[in-house]
Amino acid sequence: MLIVTYTGSEEEAAPFVRDHVGYLERHHADGLFLVSGQTVPSSQGGAIVACGVDREVRPPALEPAR
């Protein structure tokens, strides 16, 4: 389980949303991410459930909206 916490506002993240969605879609398609979604309220971040990982993973380093 990955917990995503925003460090800026949703407005600051807006330019990265398209690339972020592509990042999520790629990892859903390859089976790494099983489920992902925003928190309520969405301004706080989100969560990702991943599988098939046998070590600590830090996807945000690869993520366009980091």
Side-chain angles (χ1 to χ4, degrees), residues 40-61:
V40 176
S42 63
S43 61
Q44 293 179 355
I48 300 169
V49 176
C51 76
V53 178
D54 64 355
R55 63 190 184 291
E56 185 176 351
V57 180
R58 297 187 182 272

